[in-house]
């Protein structure tokens, strides 16, 4: 039995966010999201429910990387303005804290966009989307232990990039 | 503990995945090493910042476009040939019925003594049965088209979607 529209709606946010992070372009992310949802609709009968998330992630990643290869796009133009705006509307942060946090996030987004695969996907899926190790390992076709090693390696790489951009003294407790 | 070891284990420590003894050694080291303390703070901030990333939502127009494409694909897979075929059947059936009726009028006995043979009666009956069969088939085709391509796609499925959404 094919998926319902509700099932498509449930997956669309994850697909769109992942594609947007990988592609750094809202229009490209929209194209990939449409294609993945249509493939999900047609192939849902062959995908067990418990493996649906991993399947969706794998198809999204493949489609995004194919698009990047075909268009030779670079990933360093992700606009973190939305994130900064969201933070700015949070009354718990002082203006200075918002500025510092927005600046930190801008550096972090740029560092993440420049991270190589599969480290970038692992950081996006584990740290930002907070998905299970099992789903991520299956989506990226990696053994669980390798995935954890790569996660720490990816975060260490982000730390090294940020350390070069921001003085370490700023982070002393 | 050396700074190299500390930095190597920092991510596992931040995730709470370091063995207790190793974690104690690492904490002792960052207590006396300001550089590694800064690295630990940076690692914590990166993790916290990533995990508090605002969740971007997929715009509604993307799902609407997907539903339009799926509906278009469904129409392509089931082209509306049934009504065309049904119309031909209906026309053929109508012509047959009219033909039989006209033949009956034209060939009706002008004199009470005129009689039809058994073969003529059987042939006329066959033509009437064929005409009714064609009309029935046309009606079935139209009914299937209405059920599958009109009511299912445009009435029942949207209703199911709406009910599911609530």
């Amino acid at each position: 039995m094919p998926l319902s529209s509700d099932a498509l709606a449930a997956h669309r946010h994850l697909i769109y966010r992942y594609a947007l992070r990988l592609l750094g372009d809202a229009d490209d992310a929209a194209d990939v999201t449409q294609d993945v949802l249509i493939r999900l609709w047609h192939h849902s009968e062959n995908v067990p429910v418990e493996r649906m998330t991993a399947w969706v992630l794998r198809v999204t990643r493949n489609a995004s990387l194919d698009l990047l290869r075909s268009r030779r796009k670079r990933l360093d133009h992700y606009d973190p303005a939305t994130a900064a705006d969201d933070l700015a509307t949070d009354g718990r942060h002082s203006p200075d804290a918002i500025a510092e946090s927005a600046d930190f996030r801008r550096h972090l987004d740029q560092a993440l966009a420049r991270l190589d695969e599969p480290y970038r996907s692992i950081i996006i899926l584990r740290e930002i989307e907070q998905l299970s190790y099992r789903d991520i390992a299956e989506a990226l076709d990696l053994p669980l232990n390798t995935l954890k090693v790569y996660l720490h390696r990816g975060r260490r790489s982000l730390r090294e990039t940020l350390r070069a951009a921001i003085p370490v003294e700023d982070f002393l407790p | 503990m050396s700074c190299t070891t500390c930095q190597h284990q920092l991510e596992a420590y931040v995730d709470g995945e370091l063995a207790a003894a190793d974690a104690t050694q690492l904490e002792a080291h960052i207590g006396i090493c300001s550089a590694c303390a800064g690295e630990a703070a940076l690692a914590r901030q990166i993790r916290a910042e990533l995990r508090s990333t605002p969740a971007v939502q997929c715009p509604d127009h993307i799902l609407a476009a997907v539903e339009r494409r799926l509906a278009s694909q469904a129409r392509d897979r089931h082209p509306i040939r049934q009504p065309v075929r049904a119309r031909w059947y209906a026309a053929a059936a109508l012509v047959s019925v009219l033909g039989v009726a006209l033949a009956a009028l034209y060939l009706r006995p002008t004199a009470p003594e005129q009689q039809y043979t058994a073969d003529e009666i059987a042939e006329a009956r066959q033509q009437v049965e064929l005409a009714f069969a064609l009309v029935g088939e046309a009606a079935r085709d139209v009914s299937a088209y209405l059920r599958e391509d009109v009511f299912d796609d445009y009435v029942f499925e949207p209703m199911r979607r709406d009910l599911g959404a609530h």
Side-chain angles (χ1 to χ4, degrees), chain A residues 85-131:
Chain A
D85 288 347
D86 288 347
L87 278 174
T89 60
D90 189 340
R92 292 171 302 174
H93 294 78
S94 70
D96 284 349
I98 290 168
E100 283 176 18
S101 185
D103 193 45
F104 184 84
R105 183 172 287 280
R106 183 171 58 81
H107 284 296
L108 182 57
D109 282 331
Q110 288 174 349
L112 179 57
R114 290 189 173 91
L115 209 56
D116 288 333
E117 284 293 320
Y119 304 109
R120 182 181 39 180
S121 279
I122 292 169
I123 298 282
I124 293 168
L125 300 177
R126 180 59 190 173
E127 299 298 333
I128 296 178
E129 296 297 337
Q130 298 180 41
L131 298 174

Side-chain angles (χ1 to χ4, degrees), chain A residues 73-91:
Chain A
K73 284 201 170 180
R74 285 301 304 151
L75 305 171
D76 52 2
H77 48 70
Y78 175 72
D79 182 6
T82 307
D85 288 347
D86 288 347
L87 278 174
T89 60
D90 189 340

Side-chain angles (χ1 to χ4, degrees), chain B residues 20-137:
Chain B
D22 292 334
T24 303
Q25 283 189 11
L26 190 144
E27 284 166 357
H29 177 78
I30 61 176
I32 57 169
C33 176
S34 61
C36 286
E39 289 290 325
L42 178 56
R44 284 195 199 94
Q45 185 162 354
I46 288 172
R47 187 174 187 273
E49 198 76 29
L50 288 169
R51 287 177 170 249
S52 63
T53 301
V56 176
Q57 301 290 296
C58 174
D60 288 340
H61 69 82
I62 294 178
L63 191 59
V66 167
E67 289 177 343
R68 278 197 304 274
R69 281 174 63 180
L70 287 172
S72 169
Q73 288 177 359
R75 279 195 296 273
D76 291 344
R77 270 203 316 278
H78 302 292
I80 306 176
R81 278 174 302 196
Q82 286 176 330
V84 175
R85 194 176 64 201
R87 279 198 293 271
W88 279 110
Y89 284 151
L94 189 61
V95 167
S96 300
V97 170
L98 286 174
V100 169
L102 286 172
L105 279 172
Y106 184 73
L107 298 173
R108 71 180 175 185
T110 52
E113 66 271 15
Q114 184 169 353
Q115 296 293 320
Y116 291 108
T117 66
D119 286 341
E120 286 173 328
I121 292 171
E123 189 180 349
R125 178 174 293 158
Q126 274 182 349
Q127 286 185 7
V128 170
E129 285 173 354
L130 176 63
F132 280 115
L134 288 169
V135 170
E137 190 171 348

Side-chain angles (χ1 to χ4, degrees), chain A residues 5 13 42 155 159 163 171, chain B residues 11 39 41 58 73 161:
Chain A
S5 293
H13 299 301
H42 289 308
R155 280 215 318 252
R159 181 155 48 92
R163 191 200 309 132
F171 303 104
Chain B
E11 301 301 337
E39 289 290 325
C58 174
Q73 288 177 359
R161 265 206 307 274

